[in-house]
Amino acid sequence: MIITNQSAMADSWTGADKGKHIAVTAAISTAVTGYARNQGCSKVESFFWGFGAALVVGAIKEEADKHNDSSDSSSKDFAADALGGAAGALISAQFAWKF
């Protein structure tokens, strides 16, 4: 008999929540990257500020999910966070933001 984690099996790479993870972390990384560029950071520095901020938020969310009985932590969710964070930071770093 093989025992599996039902929630892990139910967590699809294309689940509806993955889009939300990507969108939220892309928005966070875009904002932080834009702010860093506005403050005079290089494209590379601002990329890492934005991407890092998105990863921190994603990691905190997944850690909170581990301790919440109503939802599950997922490495697939964190991968979606990383994808959104990278995309938002990469795109945003290309612009010289002026606020």
Side-chain angles (χ1 to χ4, degrees), residues 45-92:
E45 290 171 327
S46 59
F47 169 85
F48 283 109
W49 276 110
F51 183 57
L55 289 182
V56 167
V57 170
I60 290 170
K61 165 69 168 75
E62 294 310 311
E63 189 61 29
D65 284 350
K66 282 183 185 179
H67 302 288
N68 185 351
D69 292 336
S70 65
S71 67
D72 296 313
S73 178
S74 167
S75 59
K76 292 175 185 175
D77 286 350
F78 190 69
D81 293 335
L83 177 63
L90 186 63
I91 293 167
S92 184

mmCIF file of all heavy atoms in Angstrom, residues 45-92:
data_model
loop_
_atom_site.group_PDB
_atom_site.id
_atom_site.type_symbol
_atom_site.label_atom_id
_atom_site.label_comp_id
_atom_site.label_asym_id
_atom_site.label_seq_id
_atom_site.Cartn_x
_atom_site.Cartn_y
_atom_site.Cartn_z
ATOM 1 N N GLU A 45 21.275 45.525 -9.405
ATOM 2 C CA GLU A 45 20.962 45.712 -7.979
ATOM 3 C C GLU A 45 19.459 45.804 -7.752
ATOM 4 O O GLU A 45 18.924 45.166 -6.842
ATOM 5 C CB GLU A 45 21.622 46.990 -7.452
ATOM 6 C CG GLU A 45 23.115 46.927 -7.349
ATOM 7 C CD GLU A 45 23.723 48.286 -7.033
ATOM 8 O OE1 GLU A 45 23.173 49.318 -7.476
ATOM 9 O OE2 GLU A 45 24.755 48.301 -6.352
ATOM 10 N N SER A 46 18.783 46.578 -8.575
ATOM 11 C CA SER A 46 17.346 46.750 -8.384
ATOM 12 C C SER A 46 16.595 45.450 -8.667
ATOM 13 O O SER A 46 15.607 45.149 -7.988
ATOM 14 C CB SER A 46 16.805 47.894 -9.237
ATOM 15 O OG SER A 46 17.044 47.678 -10.605
ATOM 16 N N PHE A 47 17.071 44.658 -9.640
ATOM 17 C CA PHE A 47 16.465 43.354 -9.894
ATOM 18 C C PHE A 47 16.519 42.506 -8.625
ATOM 19 O O PHE A 47 15.524 41.909 -8.220
ATOM 20 C CB PHE A 47 17.171 42.617 -11.038
ATOM 21 C CG PHE A 47 16.749 41.183 -11.161
ATOM 22 C CD1 PHE A 47 15.618 40.847 -11.878
ATOM 23 C CD2 PHE A 47 17.458 40.171 -10.535
ATOM 24 C CE1 PHE A 47 15.196 39.520 -11.974
ATOM 25 C CE2 PHE A 47 17.053 38.847 -10.624
ATOM 26 C CZ PHE A 47 15.923 38.524 -11.345
ATOM 27 N N PHE A 48 17.683 42.432 -8.003
ATOM 28 C CA PHE A 48 17.818 41.584 -6.824
ATOM 29 C C PHE A 48 17.033 42.112 -5.629
ATOM 30 O O PHE A 48 16.519 41.330 -4.826
ATOM 31 C CB PHE A 48 19.291 41.349 -6.477
ATOM 32 C CG PHE A 48 19.920 40.334 -7.381
ATOM 33 C CD1 PHE A 48 20.857 40.701 -8.327
ATOM 34 C CD2 PHE A 48 19.527 39.002 -7.324
ATOM 35 C CE1 PHE A 48 21.418 39.767 -9.176
ATOM 36 C CE2 PHE A 48 20.074 38.056 -8.168
ATOM 37 C CZ PHE A 48 21.027 38.439 -9.103
ATOM 38 N N TRP A 49 16.896 43.423 -5.503
ATOM 39 C CA TRP A 49 16.040 43.969 -4.435
ATOM 40 C C TRP A 49 14.590 43.537 -4.651
ATOM 41 O O TRP A 49 13.915 43.078 -3.730
ATOM 42 C CB TRP A 49 16.115 45.498 -4.391
ATOM 43 C CG TRP A 49 17.281 46.008 -3.611
ATOM 44 C CD1 TRP A 49 18.387 46.625 -4.113
ATOM 45 C CD2 TRP A 49 17.460 45.957 -2.200
ATOM 46 N NE1 TRP A 49 19.250 46.950 -3.093
ATOM 47 C CE2 TRP A 49 18.701 46.558 -1.906
ATOM 48 C CE3 TRP A 49 16.693 45.461 -1.148
ATOM 49 C CZ2 TRP A 49 19.185 46.680 -0.611
ATOM 50 C CZ3 TRP A 49 17.183 45.588 0.140
ATOM 51 C CH2 TRP A 49 18.409 46.183 0.398
ATOM 52 N N GLY A 50 14.099 43.690 -5.869
ATOM 53 C CA GLY A 50 12.712 43.339 -6.168
ATOM 54 C C GLY A 50 12.455 41.845 -6.077
ATOM 55 O O GLY A 50 11.470 41.404 -5.472
ATOM 56 N N PHE A 51 13.337 41.057 -6.669
ATOM 57 C CA PHE A 51 13.191 39.607 -6.644
ATOM 58 C C PHE A 51 13.285 39.092 -5.208
ATOM 59 O O PHE A 51 12.489 38.253 -4.784
ATOM 60 C CB PHE A 51 14.273 38.974 -7.528
ATOM 61 C CG PHE A 51 14.178 37.481 -7.635
ATOM 62 C CD1 PHE A 51 13.027 36.871 -8.097
ATOM 63 C CD2 PHE A 51 15.258 36.687 -7.304
ATOM 64 C CE1 PHE A 51 12.944 35.486 -8.222
ATOM 65 C CE2 PHE A 51 15.192 35.304 -7.417
ATOM 66 C CZ PHE A 51 14.032 34.708 -7.874
ATOM 67 N N GLY A 52 14.231 39.632 -4.454
ATOM 68 C CA GLY A 52 14.387 39.216 -3.055
ATOM 69 C C GLY A 52 13.153 39.534 -2.225
ATOM 70 O O GLY A 52 12.710 38.716 -1.418
ATOM 71 N N ALA A 53 12.574 40.714 -2.439
ATOM 72 C CA ALA A 53 11.373 41.088 -1.698
ATOM 73 C C ALA A 53 10.221 40.128 -2.004
ATOM 74 O O ALA A 53 9.501 39.696 -1.098
ATOM 75 C CB ALA A 53 10.970 42.530 -2.045
ATOM 76 N N ALA A 54 10.069 39.773 -3.270
ATOM 77 C CA ALA A 54 9.006 38.842 -3.654
ATOM 78 C C ALA A 54 9.228 37.460 -3.029
ATOM 79 O O ALA A 54 8.279 36.824 -2.561
ATOM 80 C CB ALA A 54 8.929 38.733 -5.182
ATOM 81 N N LEU A 55 10.481 36.997 -3.009
ATOM 82 C CA LEU A 55 10.775 35.695 -2.406
ATOM 83 C C LEU A 55 10.516 35.694 -0.902
ATOM 84 O O LEU A 55 10.013 34.710 -0.358
ATOM 85 C CB LEU A 55 12.221 35.282 -2.682
ATOM 86 C CG LEU A 55 12.541 34.885 -4.111
ATOM 87 C CD1 LEU A 55 14.002 34.454 -4.210
ATOM 88 C CD2 LEU A 55 11.631 33.784 -4.612
ATOM 89 N N VAL A 56 10.850 36.792 -0.245
ATOM 90 C CA VAL A 56 10.601 36.880 1.195
ATOM 91 C C VAL A 56 9.107 36.813 1.481
ATOM 92 O O VAL A 56 8.662 36.068 2.361
ATOM 93 C CB VAL A 56 11.226 38.167 1.787
ATOM 94 C CG1 VAL A 56 10.716 38.432 3.187
ATOM 95 C CG2 VAL A 56 12.745 38.056 1.783
ATOM 96 N N VAL A 57 8.323 37.567 0.733
ATOM 97 C CA VAL A 57 6.867 37.539 0.927
ATOM 98 C C VAL A 57 6.317 36.141 0.631
ATOM 99 O O VAL A 57 5.491 35.614 1.382
ATOM 100 C CB VAL A 57 6.167 38.607 0.052
ATOM 101 C CG1 VAL A 57 4.663 38.424 0.059
ATOM 102 C CG2 VAL A 57 6.544 40.001 0.535
ATOM 103 N N GLY A 58 6.778 35.518 -0.450
ATOM 104 C CA GLY A 58 6.330 34.170 -0.784
ATOM 105 C C GLY A 58 6.703 33.154 0.286
ATOM 106 O O GLY A 58 5.903 32.283 0.646
ATOM 107 N N ALA A 59 7.918 33.258 0.811
ATOM 108 C CA ALA A 59 8.359 32.325 1.855
ATOM 109 C C ALA A 59 7.547 32.500 3.138
ATOM 110 O O ALA A 59 7.169 31.511 3.776
ATOM 111 C CB ALA A 59 9.844 32.534 2.142
ATOM 112 N N ILE A 60 7.269 33.737 3.492
ATOM 113 C CA ILE A 60 6.449 33.998 4.685
ATOM 114 C C ILE A 60 5.050 33.419 4.495
ATOM 115 O O ILE A 60 4.494 32.793 5.408
ATOM 116 C CB ILE A 60 6.400 35.508 5.001
ATOM 117 C CG1 ILE A 60 7.774 35.975 5.494
ATOM 118 C CG2 ILE A 60 5.309 35.822 6.025
ATOM 119 C CD1 ILE A 60 7.907 37.479 5.601
ATOM 120 N N LYS A 61 4.480 33.607 3.309
ATOM 121 C CA LYS A 61 3.137 33.068 3.024
ATOM 122 C C LYS A 61 3.124 31.543 3.128
ATOM 123 O O LYS A 61 2.233 30.964 3.750
ATOM 124 C CB LYS A 61 2.707 33.513 1.622
ATOM 125 C CG LYS A 61 1.522 32.775 1.025
ATOM 126 C CD LYS A 61 0.213 33.072 1.708
ATOM 127 C CE LYS A 61 -0.986 32.577 0.937
ATOM 128 N NZ LYS A 61 -1.227 31.143 0.983
ATOM 129 N N GLU A 62 4.118 30.880 2.561
ATOM 130 C CA GLU A 62 4.154 29.420 2.614
ATOM 131 C C GLU A 62 4.420 28.918 4.030
ATOM 132 O O GLU A 62 3.870 27.894 4.440
ATOM 133 C CB GLU A 62 5.192 28.865 1.634
ATOM 134 C CG GLU A 62 4.846 29.123 0.178
ATOM 135 C CD GLU A 62 3.430 28.715 -0.178
ATOM 136 O OE1 GLU A 62 3.019 27.589 0.145
ATOM 137 O OE2 GLU A 62 2.711 29.545 -0.784
ATOM 138 N N GLU A 63 5.225 29.628 4.782
ATOM 139 C CA GLU A 63 5.463 29.246 6.177
ATOM 140 C C GLU A 63 4.182 29.414 6.996
ATOM 141 O O GLU A 63 3.860 28.573 7.832
ATOM 142 C CB GLU A 63 6.595 30.089 6.775
ATOM 143 C CG GLU A 63 7.058 29.639 8.127
ATOM 144 C CD GLU A 63 7.626 28.229 8.165
ATOM 145 O OE1 GLU A 63 8.176 27.750 7.157
ATOM 146 O OE2 GLU A 63 7.500 27.582 9.231
ATOM 147 N N ALA A 64 3.443 30.480 6.737
ATOM 148 C CA ALA A 64 2.167 30.677 7.428
ATOM 149 C C ALA A 64 1.184 29.561 7.067
ATOM 150 O O ALA A 64 0.436 29.083 7.922
ATOM 151 C CB ALA A 64 1.575 32.039 7.063
ATOM 152 N N ASP A 65 1.211 29.135 5.802
ATOM 153 C CA ASP A 65 0.336 28.039 5.369
ATOM 154 C C ASP A 65 0.649 26.736 6.099
ATOM 155 O O ASP A 65 -0.242 25.929 6.346
ATOM 156 C CB ASP A 65 0.441 27.816 3.864
ATOM 157 C CG ASP A 65 -0.303 28.867 3.056
ATOM 158 O OD1 ASP A 65 -1.057 29.654 3.661
ATOM 159 O OD2 ASP A 65 -0.130 28.888 1.822
ATOM 160 N N LYS A 66 1.909 26.521 6.427
ATOM 161 C CA LYS A 66 2.285 25.304 7.165
ATOM 162 C C LYS A 66 1.603 25.241 8.527
ATOM 163 O O LYS A 66 1.310 24.174 9.034
ATOM 164 C CB LYS A 66 3.796 25.254 7.394
ATOM 165 C CG LYS A 66 4.588 24.834 6.218
ATOM 166 C CD LYS A 66 6.057 24.753 6.611
ATOM 167 C CE LYS A 66 6.928 24.443 5.430
ATOM 168 N NZ LYS A 66 8.351 24.382 5.808
ATOM 169 N N HIS A 67 1.380 26.418 9.119
ATOM 170 C CA HIS A 67 0.830 26.484 10.468
ATOM 171 C C HIS A 67 -0.658 26.780 10.498
ATOM 172 O O HIS A 67 -1.235 26.943 11.565
ATOM 173 C CB HIS A 67 1.595 27.529 11.283
ATOM 174 C CG HIS A 67 3.056 27.225 11.356
ATOM 175 N ND1 HIS A 67 3.554 26.191 12.108
ATOM 176 C CD2 HIS A 67 4.111 27.799 10.760
ATOM 177 C CE1 HIS A 67 4.864 26.146 11.978
ATOM 178 N NE2 HIS A 67 5.233 27.114 11.161
ATOM 179 N N ASN A 68 -1.287 26.846 9.335
ATOM 180 C CA ASN A 68 -2.708 27.124 9.230
ATOM 181 C C ASN A 68 -3.423 25.826 8.858
ATOM 182 O O ASN A 68 -3.133 25.222 7.832
ATOM 183 C CB ASN A 68 -2.941 28.194 8.154
ATOM 184 C CG ASN A 68 -4.379 28.625 8.060
ATOM 185 O OD1 ASN A 68 -5.267 28.032 8.671
ATOM 186 N ND2 ASN A 68 -4.613 29.654 7.280
ATOM 187 N N ASP A 69 -4.337 25.399 9.681
ATOM 188 C CA ASP A 69 -5.028 24.129 9.451
ATOM 189 C C ASP A 69 -5.873 24.120 8.179
ATOM 190 O O ASP A 69 -6.147 23.079 7.614
ATOM 191 C CB ASP A 69 -5.929 23.781 10.647
ATOM 192 C CG ASP A 69 -5.122 23.465 11.885
ATOM 193 O OD1 ASP A 69 -3.945 23.077 11.750
ATOM 194 O OD2 ASP A 69 -5.672 23.599 12.988
ATOM 195 N N SER A 70 -6.300 25.279 7.717
ATOM 196 C CA SER A 70 -7.221 25.312 6.579
ATOM 197 C C SER A 70 -6.527 25.345 5.222
ATOM 198 O O SER A 70 -7.178 25.256 4.202
ATOM 199 C CB SER A 70 -8.155 26.511 6.705
ATOM 200 O OG SER A 70 -7.406 27.704 6.613
ATOM 201 N N SER A 71 -5.213 25.504 5.174
ATOM 202 C CA SER A 71 -4.533 25.502 3.879
ATOM 203 C C SER A 71 -3.185 24.801 4.004
ATOM 204 O O SER A 71 -2.699 24.553 5.095
ATOM 205 C CB SER A 71 -4.354 26.926 3.352
ATOM 206 O OG SER A 71 -3.472 27.649 4.161
ATOM 207 N N ASP A 72 -2.614 24.494 2.873
ATOM 208 C CA ASP A 72 -1.379 23.726 2.852
ATOM 209 C C ASP A 72 -0.255 24.506 2.201
ATOM 210 O O ASP A 72 -0.451 25.219 1.226
ATOM 211 C CB ASP A 72 -1.589 22.423 2.071
ATOM 212 C CG ASP A 72 -2.601 21.516 2.751
ATOM 213 O OD1 ASP A 72 -2.480 21.334 3.970
ATOM 214 O OD2 ASP A 72 -3.502 21.016 2.056
ATOM 215 N N SER A 73 0.925 24.309 2.725
ATOM 216 C CA SER A 73 2.126 24.873 2.135
ATOM 217 C C SER A 73 2.463 24.077 0.881
ATOM 218 O O SER A 73 2.234 22.877 0.822
ATOM 219 C CB SER A 73 3.263 24.787 3.146
ATOM 220 O OG SER A 73 4.436 25.276 2.582
ATOM 221 N N SER A 74 2.981 24.734 -0.116
ATOM 222 C CA SER A 74 3.245 24.052 -1.375
ATOM 223 C C SER A 74 4.527 24.571 -2.014
ATOM 224 O O SER A 74 4.702 25.781 -2.167
ATOM 225 C CB SER A 74 2.074 24.277 -2.328
ATOM 226 O OG SER A 74 2.408 23.904 -3.633
ATOM 227 N N SER A 75 5.388 23.646 -2.413
ATOM 228 C CA SER A 75 6.590 24.050 -3.135
ATOM 229 C C SER A 75 6.214 24.577 -4.524
ATOM 230 O O SER A 75 6.909 25.426 -5.078
ATOM 231 C CB SER A 75 7.561 22.878 -3.249
ATOM 232 O OG SER A 75 6.955 21.797 -3.920
ATOM 233 N N LYS A 76 5.096 24.116 -5.068
ATOM 234 C CA LYS A 76 4.629 24.612 -6.359
ATOM 235 C C LYS A 76 4.163 26.063 -6.234
ATOM 236 O O LYS A 76 4.372 26.868 -7.145
ATOM 237 C CB LYS A 76 3.522 23.727 -6.914
ATOM 238 C CG LYS A 76 4.026 22.349 -7.296
ATOM 239 C CD LYS A 76 2.900 21.445 -7.738
ATOM 240 C CE LYS A 76 3.403 20.031 -7.997
ATOM 241 N NZ LYS A 76 2.304 19.118 -8.306
ATOM 242 N N ASP A 77 3.526 26.387 -5.108
ATOM 243 C CA ASP A 77 3.140 27.778 -4.866
ATOM 244 C C ASP A 77 4.378 28.659 -4.776
ATOM 245 O O ASP A 77 4.412 29.767 -5.315
ATOM 246 C CB ASP A 77 2.325 27.904 -3.582
ATOM 247 C CG ASP A 77 0.907 27.387 -3.717
ATOM 248 O OD1 ASP A 77 0.476 27.098 -4.845
ATOM 249 O OD2 ASP A 77 0.232 27.265 -2.676
ATOM 250 N N PHE A 78 5.405 28.172 -4.088
ATOM 251 C CA PHE A 78 6.629 28.964 -3.944
ATOM 252 C C PHE A 78 7.332 29.112 -5.293
ATOM 253 O O PHE A 78 7.898 30.172 -5.585
ATOM 254 C CB PHE A 78 7.564 28.355 -2.897
ATOM 255 C CG PHE A 78 8.711 29.265 -2.562
ATOM 256 C CD1 PHE A 78 8.501 30.439 -1.870
ATOM 257 C CD2 PHE A 78 9.992 28.944 -2.957
ATOM 258 C CE1 PHE A 78 9.553 31.298 -1.577
ATOM 259 C CE2 PHE A 78 11.052 29.786 -2.667
ATOM 260 C CZ PHE A 78 10.828 30.961 -1.976
ATOM 261 N N ALA A 79 7.282 28.089 -6.126
ATOM 262 C CA ALA A 79 7.848 28.194 -7.473
ATOM 263 C C ALA A 79 7.104 29.266 -8.282
ATOM 264 O O ALA A 79 7.727 30.041 -9.018
ATOM 265 C CB ALA A 79 7.791 26.853 -8.185
ATOM 266 N N ALA A 80 5.793 29.320 -8.124
ATOM 267 C CA ALA A 80 5.001 30.362 -8.794
ATOM 268 C C ALA A 80 5.370 31.739 -8.256
ATOM 269 O O ALA A 80 5.444 32.712 -9.012
ATOM 270 C CB ALA A 80 3.504 30.103 -8.617
ATOM 271 N N ASP A 81 5.630 31.832 -6.949
ATOM 272 C CA ASP A 81 6.091 33.094 -6.356
ATOM 273 C C ASP A 81 7.415 33.527 -6.984
ATOM 274 O O ASP A 81 7.609 34.706 -7.319
ATOM 275 C CB ASP A 81 6.273 32.951 -4.844
ATOM 276 C CG ASP A 81 4.971 32.745 -4.099
ATOM 277 O OD1 ASP A 81 3.908 33.161 -4.602
ATOM 278 O OD2 ASP A 81 5.011 32.156 -2.999
ATOM 279 N N ALA A 82 8.334 32.582 -7.130
ATOM 280 C CA ALA A 82 9.640 32.887 -7.714
ATOM 281 C C ALA A 82 9.502 33.327 -9.166
ATOM 282 O O ALA A 82 10.169 34.280 -9.605
ATOM 283 C CB ALA A 82 10.562 31.676 -7.604
ATOM 284 N N LEU A 83 8.641 32.663 -9.919
ATOM 285 C CA LEU A 83 8.419 33.029 -11.319
ATOM 286 C C LEU A 83 7.860 34.446 -11.431
ATOM 287 O O LEU A 83 8.350 35.258 -12.217
ATOM 288 C CB LEU A 83 7.469 32.029 -11.983
ATOM 289 C CG LEU A 83 7.092 32.321 -13.433
ATOM 290 C CD1 LEU A 83 8.314 32.271 -14.325
ATOM 291 C CD2 LEU A 83 6.050 31.319 -13.905
ATOM 292 N N GLY A 84 6.845 34.742 -10.639
ATOM 293 C CA GLY A 84 6.266 36.085 -10.668
ATOM 294 C C GLY A 84 7.259 37.148 -10.225
ATOM 295 O O GLY A 84 7.352 38.224 -10.824
ATOM 296 N N GLY A 85 8.018 36.834 -9.180
ATOM 297 C CA GLY A 85 9.014 37.782 -8.684
ATOM 298 C C GLY A 85 10.090 38.070 -9.712
ATOM 299 O O GLY A 85 10.480 39.223 -9.923
ATOM 300 N N ALA A 86 10.564 37.024 -10.381
ATOM 301 C CA ALA A 86 11.596 37.200 -11.398
ATOM 302 C C ALA A 86 11.064 37.993 -12.589
ATOM 303 O O ALA A 86 11.738 38.903 -13.088
ATOM 304 C CB ALA A 86 12.112 35.843 -11.853
ATOM 305 N N ALA A 87 9.865 37.667 -13.034
ATOM 306 C CA ALA A 87 9.289 38.360 -14.190
ATOM 307 C C ALA A 87 9.067 39.842 -13.896
ATOM 308 O O ALA A 87 9.443 40.710 -14.694
ATOM 309 C CB ALA A 87 7.969 37.698 -14.588
ATOM 310 N N GLY A 88 8.470 40.130 -12.750
ATOM 311 C CA GLY A 88 8.217 41.523 -12.397
ATOM 312 C C GLY A 88 9.499 42.326 -12.246
ATOM 313 O O GLY A 88 9.607 43.453 -12.738
ATOM 314 N N ALA A 89 10.487 41.747 -11.587
ATOM 315 C CA ALA A 89 11.757 42.450 -11.372
ATOM 316 C C ALA A 89 12.515 42.628 -12.681
ATOM 317 O O ALA A 89 13.094 43.688 -12.932
ATOM 318 C CB ALA A 89 12.604 41.693 -10.353
ATOM 319 N N LEU A 90 12.507 41.605 -13.519
ATOM 320 C CA LEU A 90 13.225 41.671 -14.787
ATOM 321 C C LEU A 90 12.662 42.755 -15.696
ATOM 322 O O LEU A 90 13.404 43.546 -16.283
ATOM 323 C CB LEU A 90 13.163 40.318 -15.491
ATOM 324 C CG LEU A 90 13.982 40.178 -16.770
ATOM 325 C CD1 LEU A 90 15.462 40.352 -16.475
ATOM 326 C CD2 LEU A 90 13.736 38.818 -17.394
ATOM 327 N N ILE A 91 11.360 42.811 -15.798
ATOM 328 C CA ILE A 91 10.719 43.817 -16.636
ATOM 329 C C ILE A 91 10.912 45.215 -16.047
ATOM 330 O O ILE A 91 11.287 46.156 -16.736
ATOM 331 C CB ILE A 91 9.225 43.498 -16.841
ATOM 332 C CG1 ILE A 91 9.091 42.236 -17.675
ATOM 333 C CG2 ILE A 91 8.502 44.675 -17.499
ATOM 334 C CD1 ILE A 91 7.700 41.625 -17.688
ATOM 335 N N SER A 92 10.700 45.341 -14.764
ATOM 336 C CA SER A 92 10.776 46.646 -14.110
ATOM 337 C C SER A 92 12.197 47.203 -14.103
ATOM 338 O O SER A 92 12.385 48.416 -14.194
ATOM 339 C CB SER A 92 10.257 46.534 -12.676
ATOM 340 O OG SER A 92 10.234 47.787 -12.057
#
